[in-house]
Amino acid sequence: MSQRILIVEDETDLAQILAEYLQRDGFVATTIADGLVAMAALRQAPPDLLLLDLMLPGMDGISILRELRRTSELPVIMVTARSEEIDRLLGLELGADDYICKPYSPREVVARVKTVLRRAQPPAAAAGSPGASGSTLDIDAEAMQARVAGKNLELTPKEFKLLQALAARPGRVFSRAQLLDALYADNLEVSERAIDSHLKNLRKKLALAFPDEEPIRSVYGVGFAFECSECFPS
Ligand code: CA
């Protein structure tokens, strides 16, 4: 059955182009230009994924997402006209699954939609529950060990905590500040760049374990997200 994508976007030309691209790829795409109308539609017949513009007439994207997240884990990709805005959005911890900046290429949006939907399929990916069946990445919080197919990754405590934070929410984009919080609970003096060297080392170790993919994706100007199909095969 075709998956349904709701595009909430008040630039109707843009919404139309995107809908056409999604339909060409086999999705059923609907467009709504007003925030209040969108909210009503989301309550009545939730789609499989929501592409949500930030600035909208009626009700803005942030309010819609907040309202939605009270009751629903529906995958949401937030669309914004300003890349600077993404940092602020991350800080609000709205729970969007991905962020896209305008201007975008419709092809890229389609690819991101597919990625987010693929992740959403097993409702709770097994990160953080050691020994979960079928997962090749096991995160053992008590032993502070991460294993791939039973083999210990030999992470430092900081690398372990980074991996644990990222992998607990596959696909969610974390800012440096948020990762820093996960690493240094009681130290506010550490520079955000301190994350980078730990990330670099963690990536090297993951690259050895997963030569075919790069599980930690950089989101330019924003932060990092954990995406790894081999880690949690469905
Ligand atoms: Ca808009």
Side-chain angles (χ1 to χ4, degrees), residues 8-11 53-57 79 81 102:
V8 181
E9 169 65 73
D10 56 328
E11 292 172 59
D53 189 34
L54 189 63
M55 300 293 282
L56 292 164
V79 180
K102 291 179 192 170

Side-chain angles (χ1 to χ4, degrees), residues 223-234:
F224 305 91
F226 191 80
E227 276 168 19
C228 176
S229 56
E230 286 174 45
C231 295
F232 316 114
S234 40

Side-chain angles (χ1 to χ4, degrees), residues 61-132:
I62 292 177
S63 307
I64 292 175
L65 186 51
R66 278 221 173 99
E67 185 64 28
L68 186 70
R69 278 290 176 257
R70 290 181 190 205
T71 54
S72 164
E73 277 295 300
L74 173 76
V76 176
I77 299 178
M78 198 97 193
V79 180
T80 160
R82 292 167 44 209
S83 57
E84 312 90 81
E85 193 85 294
I86 294 182
D87 249 337
R88 187 173 75 84
L89 293 175
L90 279 167
L92 295 175
E93 299 193 346
L94 298 165
D97 296 82
D98 204 351
Y99 296 85
I100 293 178
C101 259
K102 291 179 192 170
Y104 51 65
S105 96
R107 271 176 221 285
E108 194 203 335
V109 177
V110 173
R112 303 275 275 272
V113 163
K114 286 180 182 169
T115 306
V116 169
L117 282 171
R118 199 169 54 231
R119 291 196 308 247
Q121 236 118 59
S129 52

Side-chain angles (χ1 to χ4, degrees), residues 24-25 58 66 111 128 167 206-207 210:
R24 239 178 271 166
D25 255 79
R66 278 221 173 99
L206 286 172
F210 299 100

